[in-house]
Amino acid sequence: MSSRENPSGICKNIPNLISSFVDTFVDYSVSGIFLPQDPSPQNEILQTRFDKPERLVAIGDLHGDLDKSREAFNIAGLIDSSDRWSSGSTMVVQVGDVLDKGGEELKILYFLEKLKREAERAGGKVLTMNGNHEIMNIEGDFRHVTKKGLEEFQVWADWYCLGNKMKTLCSGLDKPKDPYEGIPMSFPRVRADCFDGIRARIAALRPEGPIAKRFLTKNQTVAVVGDSVFVHGGLLAEHIEYGLERINEEVRGWINGLKGGRYAPVYCRGGNSLVWLRKFSEEMAYKCDCAALEHALSTIPGVKRMIMGHTIQDAGINGVCNDKAIRIDVGMSKGCSDGLPEVLEIRRDSGVRILTSNPLYKENPYSHLAPDSKTGLGLLVPVPKQVEV
């Protein structure tokens, strides 16, 4: 039978095409980005352990500052002048805290998602992680949200709801779920002009919210890459004993709305949790608990260093405890300390170095930490850095 005699053979996919068009329309209206097709299979199991790549780049907290985020990717040569992935098989780990303190949080989420897809096609990898600010926002704790941050989510909600209305015009699609379902119209002790932005933010980021489900469920909470373990705050032996894969899957399930209700699992809450711990990131090296760090590292076979963000390092990226803890949050966001972007690079053949945008190091762009140096990253003043020119 020809397609003319059986038009349903042609038309049966039209509702899905319309839905995809509407989603693309909403994405571009919110972010100014056309996302390439996602090469990853749906509901892919979250990977926790990765082989050591030829080149690994670690990027600290971004906190809603898109310009500084781009600059961090640029100094490592990861993107071209059009913000396209240009680093082939390089692997990137961004250690969390994209949210809060800035007004371009959604734009960064879209920016990172675009790079994930482009890197995957080129044989590279971009891993994003949960920081304490992702956990706080999913729980509805908006203490560090800015006015522009509320406005950005309100704009998203307006476009998202318009997209849902467009989908209801197609009889072949299920009725979209109301993102505001169950969210109050007002909040005690909150200014009335913030109500709409707060409602939009709750709708987007609560467990099973559209933004949480689309972007944050892809985040690792802990990741082992070669001989490095990445976490936002820090890992204790008790976390490792509980199970790294188990932690990743449970946090992902909570964000997906499958378990746990409003609040995150206990190992993501409190001062000794994975995303809040500061035992290894205090700026003064003598305050760091090197014994606890060495105990934790000894329980992960083959791992010799822990890389973390969370605590701003005014002196720039540095290491303590014989460089077994490397701290990479330089407070680059204008909502933090407006620090100069820096990233950590680990090459299989030449070890660890720091790439910085600090102009002080342009006079000696080839200085870097010698592999056999006894002083270590944390004890050198200034810290040796290599500048990408």
Side-chain angles (χ1 to χ4, degrees), residues 99-100 105-106 134-143 145 149-157 160-161 177-188 190 194-213 216 254-255 257 261-263:
L99 299 180
D100 285 341
E105 301 152 279
L106 281 169
E134 278 71 46
I135 301 299
M136 290 168 69
N137 274 267
I138 297 166
E139 291 182 334
D141 183 342
F142 299 152
R143 280 176 288 172
V145 174
L150 291 178
E151 290 169 354
E152 187 187 33
F153 274 83
Q154 193 173 339
V155 168
W156 164 82
Y160 185 81
C161 289
K177 182 180 177 181
D178 178 9
Y180 288 107
E181 183 179 335
I183 299 176
M185 298 296 294
S186 61
F187 305 89
V190 174
C194 294
F195 288 168
D196 289 344
I198 290 175
R199 294 185 76 237
R201 202 170 178 100
I202 293 172
L205 292 171
R206 62 180 172 176
E208 206 182 0
I211 295 297
K213 195 166 185 176
L216 304 186
W254 168 64
I255 297 171
R262 173 181 171 183
Y263 295 106

Side-chain angles (χ1 to χ4, degrees), residues 59-63 65 67-73 312 328-343:
I59 299 176
D61 305 29
L62 301 178
H63 280 307
D65 191 328
D67 287 340
K68 290 291 188 72
S69 301
R70 284 180 174 136
E71 194 174 343
F73 277 80
I312 294 174
I328 64 172
D329 177 11
V330 294
M332 70 177 82
S333 169
K334 289 184 282 293
C336 296
S337 55
D338 199 15
L340 291 167
E342 294 185 347
V343 303

Side-chain angles (χ1 to χ4, degrees), residues 69-86:
S69 301
R70 284 180 174 136
E71 194 174 343
F73 277 80
N74 264 312
I75 60 175
L78 298 169
I79 57 175
D80 63 18
S81 58
S82 300
D83 291 345
R84 290 187 295 256
W85 180 260
S86 62

